[in-house]
Amino acid sequence: MGTLISFKRPDGQEAKGYLAKAAQANAPGVVVIQEWWGLQDQIKGMCDRFALAGFNALAPDLYKGTVVPYHDTDAAGREMNSLDFMDATTQTVRGAAQYLARNGAKVGLTGFCLGGAVTIIGATKIDELTAGVVFYGIPPEQAARPADVKIPLQAHFANTDDWCTPAVVDAFEKGMKEAGKSLELYRYDAEHAFVNEQRMNVHDRAAAELAWGRATAFFHKHLG
């Protein structure tokens, strides 16, 4: 449904990504951020779903062409740990937001796992954003403090997540509340990456569909 495109980062460098366009003109935009596996087909499929829901969706390729097979967690960890999160967020992700905003559209940011952490960083760093939806990812506080979040956030977490643990989620929620920030937070009796239907060992269809409905309603409310 979508196509691979090139777009400019604020520093003038070229970046690539997968763009799926809504049927209607002047649709709002959503930047979609990958998991630690790279720009997998599943993330492209999420862009297609957003397009069908009425958004122009762009998933920037943060790994520059590298896609890690789902079984290879060691390789995924190496790719994620070698990623410059600040450069990825303030340049590549911001460039994607600017691309979607170029006709005056409102733009949201969402991401999964690694992309959830990038979404929170983006919520503190990217002026072009209007709202964000986080899926099971939280950055270290030195990368993005709740007090610095500039946009309303919705967040989805799994109760049996051994990366974004319930304790980490509780601390994030407490920080957002103390900072007086807008946060809708949902917890699911599911595992990390429960939205990814290509990973049958963790996918939870009921939880994924509930989260999807909440996310699209949130974006329609804030982006139009």
Side-chain angles (χ1 to χ4, degrees), residues 10-27:
D11 63 6
Q13 289 185 39
E14 199 111 305
K16 289 187 165 54
Y18 179 87
L19 174 68
K21 297 178 84 168
Q24 69 271 33
N26 303 318

Side-chain angles (χ1 to χ4, degrees), residues 57-161:
L58 174 57
D61 183 359
L62 301 189
Y63 287 177
K64 299 176 181 173
T66 298
V67 180
V68 181
Y70 284 128
H71 65 271
D72 199 344
T73 53
D74 289 345
R78 282 195 301 274
E79 290 296 330
M80 182 174 76
N81 291 329
S82 65
L83 181 69
D84 182 334
F85 274 74
M86 285 304 161
D87 177 79
T89 304
T90 61
Q91 294 296 328
T92 306
V93 178
R94 189 178 181 205
Q98 290 174 338
Y99 179 91
L100 292 175
R102 68 197 190 286
N103 294 326
K106 289 182 178 177
V107 178
L109 175 61
T110 190
F112 306 81
C113 170
L114 173 160
V118 168
T119 298
I120 295 173
I121 299 171
T124 70
K125 303 279 187 192
I126 300 175
D127 292 336
E128 288 81 4
L129 298 175
T130 299
V133 177
V134 178
F135 286 89
Y136 34 78
I138 296 174
E141 189 153 318
Q142 63 266 29
R145 297 185 312 129
D148 295 331
V149 170
K150 301 173 182 174
I151 56 175
L153 290 179
Q154 184 185 78
H156 304 272
F157 296 103
N159 289 333
T160 53
D161 195 324

